[in-house]
Amino acid sequence: QPALRKALEKNFIHQSMSIIVEDAIKKATDVREKVCEWRSPEQLKELLDLELRDGAESESEILQRFKDAIRYSVKTTHPRFFNQLYAGMDPYSMVASFIIEALKPSLYTYEVAPVFTLVEEAVLKKMMELIGWKDGGDGIFNAGGSMSNMYAVNLARYRCCPDIKENGLSAAPHLVMFTSQECHYSISKAAALLGIATRTLLSGAVPFMVNATAGTTVLGAFDPIDEIADICEKHNLWLHVDACWGGAALVSSKHKHLLKGIHRADSVAWNPHKMLMACLQCSAFMVRDKTSLLQRCHSARASYLFQQDKFYDVSYDTGDKSVQCSRKPDAFKIWLMWKALGSRELEQRVDRALAMARYLAQEIKQREGFRLLMEPEYANICFWYIPPSLRNLPDGPELWGKLHKVAPVIKERMMKKGSMMVGYQPHGEKANFFRMIIISPQVSRQDMDFVLDEIHNLGKDL
Amino acid sequence: QPALRKALEKNFIHQSMSIIVEDAIKKATDVREKVCEWRSPEQLKELLDLELRDGAESESEILQRFKDAIRYSVKTTHPRFFNQLYAGMDPYSMVASFIIEALKPSLYTYEVAPVFTLVEEAVLKKMMELIGWKDGGDGIFNAGGSMSNMYAVNLARYRCCPDIKENGLSAAPHLVMFTSQECHYSISKAAALLGIATRTLLSGAVPFMVNATAGTTVLGAFDPIDEIADICEKHNLWLHVDACWGGAALVSSKHKHLLKGIHRADSVAWNPHKMLMACLQCSAFMVRDKTSLLQRCHSARASYLFQQDKFYDVSYDTGDKSVQCSRKPDAFKIWLMWKALGSRELEQRVDRALAMARYLAQEIKQREGFRLLMEPEYANICFWYIPPSLRNLPDGPELWGKLHKVAPVIKERMMKKGSMMVGYQPHGEKANFFRMIIISPQVSRQDMDFVLDEIHNLGKDL
């Protein structure tokens, strides 16, 4: 491997790693640095020289490209990044990711990924224990929560009408699933992809599943799983719990009540890359079934991978449970971190984040010009900032129409300044509001105060 | 971020990186080292102590866990790993992967991943140029070739019957697609998932797409794209080319004729993580359509991500083209490598690999006890090894019955010895044979000779 040998000899890898440690780790997580260095697409294209050409670039040019790519990237690991349902950097998980990238494993057969196959099994076992499935179950990690939710829909459909796999939906009854308005958009994407329909057509339809959300994306709300499970049991409906975001509460004795009844679910999606801070992606999909439903539903029995005459127990070849072929060993990113921290530290992180969320909600209620959308159930704090010029307007369409335009301008200003990143969105009839996401363990009360002060500073003239 | 600060202060990250360079990069790619250190699942579970507990482990224990994980993992980057459609290690791509892991970007909106959004656009542009789409097109990178093929089926269906997205398949005609027996199993997985049926039901069915394979998984064979395109044009069928494996030939003036006619495809899947050696995953899906078909087919317009009142051009928010939500910026892994090597070096790598494949085929034809299954079209060399004890048997069921059991035993022995990894499989009526995959630029004639010598050494007593 001449390129690799040359890179090792010429110290290229060592130099690259120094840049990564300095710029992409230390500087990126330093609160005194900017969270982003905003450039418009047009400006950035000029700065980066993206075109791919016939000739090679020198190693020093390549090192400069690393620096530029890091410089103009958003620092999602920065303490002032509150924009998505993930944030921060766990060093153990990061190093686990590096190992994965260097070893290039793919999880389809035990023979090419022995360690990672067993690691995945161990992590799923632990997560299913926390869910409360005393007899275990089955599962796989996959490329994101949207995929997990899609798997749930497919499994539920397969249990209901196994013939669909071979015969398709044209001959099947019209199937319908139930979910709340607040559910993640991947449920609707799954319905479209699987040919189930995204529009409700109730007449003559056969219900086959209910999706309950544990920690909704915008509001952080929890569906009442126990009550939904009662209905599902009565009508023999598959119960899927989308706990991608809220699942982390299961590690906390104080907060796990939010997911009361989750052990009654047929399937659960839970992303340790969110609140638990594993590196991206780290998304588990778990099924209570122990009759190889996952395998039967998805298998295609490729003879070049899943030979039955191997010299080891081929039940460790997990690839045919997936709709992917190559699959990354994402469980390793949470396994190593869990080993390093232990369940107790994970619990403290979650408790700390949720305590901080309560603190922020209290502050918002006390500060002039801030208005809480609802008491937080979890780590999403949704609120409006009302600039002084609007504070005397009566509650009505004029106020809300004007408020709707406030958050986008403050967002633009915070990004151009690089001081922090907080998301905003409208929601149903509600005008644009901010959504702060508090991820353990990186934030302090000072950070919470900073966010509110900064929003006021950026928006007080509006 | 206390854990990160502590890890930086205590030199933990530096120590981890040293282990990665020594064990996961240098040693893993050293031909004098073993390609794998075989342990059965039961043995490995004991060695690794996988259970997750309440308490934390020390940093030295964690560093030992890294070493163990690397030690017992298969070295897919080792020069003697010929088991899958990927191999080797490109240092530029690896470092690009590390940067991605450290920065934790997610590709849904320009605001959180500005650099990687533009990099993806630039790489897709270059790949579409090589396909020959003079006016460009559209595309995204996603979590693997199976996903790309699934996207193709969904887009083809959407173009044929856009109502299915809202109304589902129950009201639609029975749809049917055409593909060869030799196609990748993801086509069949996609048909099952999308509710199209995996069993052929021709009566009254409406054809909507043809899948052509450019580089089949087992034999490395190429469907005649031009001839298939004629038929697709005549009958208005969507033409998808699964060039996940064979797409790399497009960078070579000498070999691109293998994909003659690919510019007539409606969609193409091409994985630079295979022959071009980008790190895993690096899988592009491209569509010739320029009317936002990808977006219209997959969009769910989540208001918390894809706000229309942002301060920048929201056509750079590419997330709604995908069925995923979070999506890794995999294009960066090929972009950086392409910058460092240039198209010319990529071309030489491909030419070199295919020349080596020819050499191996010639050797197999000349050596006693080896039998080539077919002349290679690409980098898959399929052959039987016939141990001396079977060489005098006449060609017939007895010989093939006995030969069928030879490859699995040799495979077991090579893995337990750790000398190399080569895949085997049956294929249709054909008894188990070896499939060597030659990936540029890591192999020499000596390596090819070694493989044949070693197979003979491991199997001559059978």
Side-chain angles (χ1 to χ4, degrees):
Chain A
Q1 307 197 42
L4 181 62
R5 292 274 89 82
K6 197 180 100 189
L8 285 164
E9 278 159 27
K10 289 178 67 183
N11 230 9
F12 169 76
I13 289 174
H14 180 77
Q15 288 177 67
S16 309
M17 284 185 164
S18 297
I19 294 174
I20 292 174
V21 171
E22 287 308 313
D23 292 4
I25 302 175
K26 282 190 193 166
K27 211 172 149 188
T29 57
D30 186 339
V31 73
R32 294 161 302 184
E33 300 283 340
K34 287 177 164 188
V35 65
C36 62
E37 182 79 48
W38 169 261
R39 294 291 185 279
S40 72
E42 297 68 33
Q43 292 171 321
L44 197 50
K45 279 182 201 179
E46 281 201 20
L47 286 165
L48 294 178
D49 174 30
L50 294 156
E51 198 188 330
L52 298 169
R53 303 193 182 84
D54 289 346
E57 295 190 355
S58 71
E59 298 213 329
S60 65
E61 284 171 302
I62 294 299
L63 293 173
Q64 187 57 46
R65 293 202 174 278
F66 292 169
K67 288 186 191 168
D68 291 342
I70 295 168
R71 176 174 177 191
Y72 296 111
S73 284
V74 168
K75 309 305 183 295
T76 68
T77 58
H78 190 281
R80 299 278 159 81
F81 180 83
F82 307 103
N83 206 71
Q84 314 296 145
L85 299 186
Y86 71 92
M89 174 50 79
D90 178 87
Y92 307 104
S93 191
M94 181 182 66
V95 173
S97 291
F98 290 167
I99 291 174
I100 292 171
E101 295 306 315
L103 288 176
K104 290 174 71 175
S106 184
L107 265 189
Y108 19 59
T109 61
Y110 180 81
E111 79 189 64
V112 293
V115 172
F116 299 112
T117 299
L118 300 183
V119 162
E120 180 173 78
E121 185 187 64
V123 176
L124 289 168
K125 181 167 171 280
K126 184 70 183 178
M127 292 175 81
M128 291 190 286
E129 244 175 69
L130 290 168
I131 288 170
W133 290 343
K134 291 194 178 114
D135 303 320
D138 196 4
I140 53 170
F141 276 74
N142 58 46
S146 293
M147 302 298 295
S148 296
N149 288 336
M150 186 185 86
Y151 275 36
V153 178
N154 199 34
L155 281 190
R157 179 173 75 176
Y158 183 76
R159 193 189 61 172
C160 162
C161 310
D163 287 351
I164 289 173
K165 185 177 176 185
E166 276 199 345
N167 297 337
L169 270 167
S170 307
H174 182 76
L175 297 171
V176 68
M177 56 177 164
F178 296 95
T179 187
S180 86
Q181 286 277 1
E182 300 288 315
C183 77
H184 190 256
Y185 71 97
S186 55
I187 299 291
S188 150
K189 289 209 176 195
L193 185 71
L194 272 63
I196 288 170
T198 54
R199 191 158 65 181
T200 320
L201 298 162
L202 281 178
S203 114
V206 176
F208 73 106
M209 86 173 264
V210 178
N211 171 64
T213 311
T216 61
T217 312
V218 176
L219 304 175
F222 287 72
D223 283 335
I225 301 175
D226 248 341
E227 291 171 44
I228 296 172
D230 289 342
I231 295 166
C232 288
E233 275 172 20
K234 189 171 163 195
H235 298 284
N236 194 27
L237 299 172
W238 183 281
L239 173 58
H240 173 62
V241 178
D242 173 0
C244 285
W245 172 224
L250 290 171
V251 305
S252 159
S253 3
K254 190 172 172 187
H255 297 288
K256 67 182 178 193
H257 68 89
L258 287 167
L259 299 106
K260 190 167 172 290
I262 193 171
H263 63 285
R264 298 169 69 189
D266 294 292
S267 58
V268 173
W270 173 4
N271 291 2
H273 73 235
K274 293 187 155 66
M275 175 71 84
L276 296 183
M277 282 178 62
C279 280
L280 292 173
Q281 305 272 339
C282 190
S283 302
F285 174 68
M286 291 158 287
V287 202
R288 196 173 44 167
D289 167 89
K290 297 189 73 178
T291 67
S292 305
L293 193 67
L294 196 51
Q295 171 99 12
R296 287 184 284 130
C297 177
H298 291 140
S299 69
R301 288 185 286 275
S303 65
Y304 75 97
L305 276 176
F306 307 117
Q307 304 92 317
Q308 298 301 302
D309 54 3
K310 289 180 179 175
F311 65 98
Y312 60 86
D313 175 359
V314 293
S315 72
Y316 285 96
D317 289 353
T318 56
D320 224 13
K321 293 181 186 179
S322 170
V323 298
Q324 297 181 260
C325 179
S326 280
R327 195 163 57 87
K328 307 241 345 174
D330 295 323
F332 190 57
K333 300 176 198 166
I334 180 74
W335 180 77
L336 206 76
M337 182 181 149
W338 206 312
K339 281 283 192 189
L341 300 173
S343 308
R344 274 196 299 268
E345 170 75 15
L346 290 179
E347 177 171 16
Q348 283 165 22
R349 286 185 172 189
V350 171
D351 288 351
R352 194 166 180 284
L354 295 182
M356 207 55 73
R358 299 291 169 287
Y359 171 79
L360 179 65
Q362 285 309 315
E363 280 298 298
I364 286 169
K365 283 192 279 188
Q366 282 163 23
R367 288 207 188 195
E368 206 191 336
F370 286 86
R371 187 157 155 183
L372 198 62
L373 188 128
M374 59 175 257
E375 282 295 333
E377 279 189 71
Y378 196 51
N380 313 40
I381 314 296
C382 298
F383 62 96
W384 290 277
Y385 169 70
I386 307 162
S389 72
L390 304 181
R391 287 184 197 163
N392 292 324
L393 283 180
D395 204 325
E398 192 196 345
L399 172 66
W400 293 108
K402 287 185 170 170
L403 261 189
H404 189 65
K405 292 175 184 158
V406 167
V409 176
I410 296 177
K411 177 69 178 269
E412 176 175 357
R413 291 176 177 180
M414 71 173 75
M415 288 201 65
K416 287 183 172 168
K417 187 176 169 193
S419 56
M420 62 182 187
M421 281 180 72
V422 183
Y424 77 87
Q425 64 278 299
H427 194 62
E429 297 295 300
K430 293 197 163 65
N432 277 325
F433 54 87
F434 288 110
R435 181 197 66 168
M436 272 286 291
I437 298 292
I438 322 287
I439 303 268
S440 126
Q442 62 177 356
V443 284
S444 62
R445 291 187 171 202
Q446 288 86 328
D447 292 317
M448 299 295 96
D449 295 341
F450 171 84
V451 168
L452 300 183
D453 293 345
E454 181 73 358
I455 287 178
H456 176 66
N457 286 334
L458 294 169
K460 64 187 173 201
D461 65 323
L462 294 174
Chain B
Q1 306 197 43
L4 181 62
R5 293 273 89 83
K6 197 180 100 190
L8 285 164
E9 279 159 24
K10 290 179 67 182
N11 230 9
F12 169 77
I13 289 174
H14 180 77
Q15 287 178 65
S16 308
M17 284 186 164
S18 296
I19 294 174
I20 292 173
V21 171
E22 288 307 316
D23 293 4
I25 302 176
K26 281 191 193 167
K27 210 172 149 189
T29 58
D30 185 338
V31 73
R32 295 162 302 184
E33 300 283 339
K34 285 177 165 190
V35 64
C36 61
E37 182 79 47
W38 169 260
R39 295 290 186 278
S40 71
E42 297 69 33
Q43 292 170 321
L44 198 51
K45 280 182 198 177
E46 281 201 19
L47 285 166
L48 293 177
D49 174 31
L50 295 156
E51 198 187 330
L52 298 170
R53 304 195 181 83
D54 289 347
E57 295 191 355
S58 70
E59 296 212 332
S60 65
E61 284 171 302
I62 294 299
L63 292 173
Q64 187 57 46
R65 293 202 174 279
F66 292 169
K67 288 186 191 168
D68 291 343
I70 296 168
R71 174 171 177 194
Y72 295 111
S73 283
V74 168
K75 309 305 183 295
T76 68
T77 59
H78 190 280
R80 299 278 159 82
F81 180 83
F82 308 102
N83 207 70
Q84 313 295 146
L85 299 186
Y86 72 92
M89 173 52 78
D90 178 86
Y92 308 103
S93 191
M94 183 183 64
V95 173
S97 292
F98 290 168
I99 292 175
I100 293 172
E101 296 306 314
L103 288 177
K104 289 174 72 175
S106 185
L107 266 189
Y108 19 59
T109 61
Y110 180 81
E111 80 190 62
V112 293
V115 172
F116 300 112
T117 299
L118 299 183
V119 162
E120 180 171 79
E121 185 187 64
V123 176
L124 289 169
K125 181 166 171 282
K126 184 70 182 179
M127 293 175 80
M128 291 190 286
E129 244 175 69
L130 290 168
I131 288 170
W133 291 342
K134 289 193 180 113
D135 303 321
D138 195 4
I140 54 170
F141 277 74
N142 59 45
S146 293
M147 303 298 294
S148 295
N149 288 335
M150 185 186 87
Y151 275 36
V153 179
N154 198 34
L155 281 191
R157 179 173 75 176
Y158 183 76
R159 194 191 58 171
C160 162
C161 311
D163 287 352
I164 289 174
K165 185 176 176 185
E166 275 199 346
N167 298 336
L169 270 167
S170 308
H174 182 76
L175 297 171
V176 68
M177 56 178 162
F178 296 95
T179 187
S180 86
Q181 286 276 2
E182 300 287 315
C183 77
H184 190 255
Y185 71 99
S186 55
I187 298 292
S188 150
K189 289 208 175 193
L193 186 71
L194 272 64
I196 288 171
T198 55
R199 191 158 63 181
T200 321
L201 299 162
L202 281 177
S203 115
V206 175
F208 73 107
M209 86 174 264
V210 177
N211 170 65
T213 311
T216 61
T217 313
V218 176
L219 304 176
F222 287 73
D223 283 335
I225 301 175
D226 247 341
E227 291 171 42
I228 296 172
D230 289 342
I231 296 166
C232 288
E233 275 171 21
K234 188 171 163 194
H235 298 283
N236 193 27
L237 298 171
W238 184 280
L239 172 57
H240 173 63
V241 178
D242 173 358
C244 285
W245 172 224
L250 291 170
V251 305
S252 158
S253 0
K254 189 170 172 189
H255 296 288
K256 67 181 177 190
H257 67 89
L258 288 166
L259 300 106
K260 190 167 173 289
I262 193 169
H263 63 284
R264 298 169 70 189
D266 294 292
S267 58
V268 173
W270 174 4
N271 291 1
H273 74 235
K274 293 186 156 67
M275 175 71 83
L276 294 183
M277 283 179 61
C279 279
L280 292 173
Q281 305 274 337
C282 191
S283 302
F285 175 68
M286 291 157 287
V287 203
R288 196 174 43 165
D289 167 90
K290 296 188 75 179
T291 68
S292 305
L293 193 67
L294 197 51
Q295 171 100 12
R296 286 184 284 129
C297 177
H298 290 141
S299 69
R301 288 185 287 273
S303 65
Y304 75 96
L305 276 176
F306 307 117
Q307 304 92 318
Q308 298 301 302
D309 54 2
K310 290 180 178 175
F311 65 99
Y312 59 86
D313 176 357
V314 292
S315 73
Y316 285 96
D317 288 354
T318 56
D320 224 14
K321 293 181 186 179
S322 169
V323 298
Q324 297 182 261
C325 180
S326 280
R327 195 163 58 86
K328 308 242 341 175
D330 295 323
F332 190 58
K333 300 177 199 166
I334 180 74
W335 180 79
L336 206 76
M337 180 182 151
W338 207 313
K339 280 285 192 189
L341 301 174
S343 308
R344 274 196 299 269
E345 170 75 17
L346 290 179
E347 177 171 16
Q348 283 165 22
R349 285 185 173 188
V350 171
D351 288 351
R352 194 167 178 283
L354 295 182
M356 208 55 75
R358 297 295 168 285
Y359 171 79
L360 180 65
Q362 285 309 314
E363 279 299 299
I364 287 168
K365 284 192 278 187
Q366 282 163 22
R367 287 207 188 196
E368 206 191 336
F370 287 85
R371 188 157 155 183
L372 198 62
L373 188 126
M374 59 176 256
E375 282 294 332
E377 278 189 72
Y378 196 51
N380 314 40
I381 313 296
C382 298
F383 61 95
W384 290 277
Y385 170 70
I386 307 162
S389 72
L390 305 182
R391 288 185 196 162
N392 293 324
L393 284 180
D395 204 326
E398 192 195 345
L399 171 66
W400 292 108
K402 287 185 170 168
L403 262 189
H404 189 65
K405 292 176 184 156
V406 167
V409 176
I410 295 177
K411 176 69 178 271
E412 175 175 358
R413 291 176 177 181
M414 71 174 75
M415 289 202 63
K416 288 185 171 165
K417 188 175 167 192
S419 56
M420 62 182 187
M421 281 179 72
V422 183
Y424 77 87
Q425 65 277 297
H427 194 62
E429 296 295 300
K430 292 196 165 65
N432 278 325
F433 55 88
F434 290 108
R435 181 197 64 167
M436 272 286 291
I437 298 293
I438 321 286
I439 302 269
S440 132
Q442 64 177 353
V443 285
S444 62
R445 292 188 170 201
Q446 287 86 329
D447 291 317
M448 300 295 96
D449 296 341
F450 171 84
V451 167
L452 300 183
D453 293 345
E454 181 73 0
I455 287 178
H456 176 67
N457 286 333
L458 294 168
K460 63 188 174 202
D461 64 324
L462 294 174

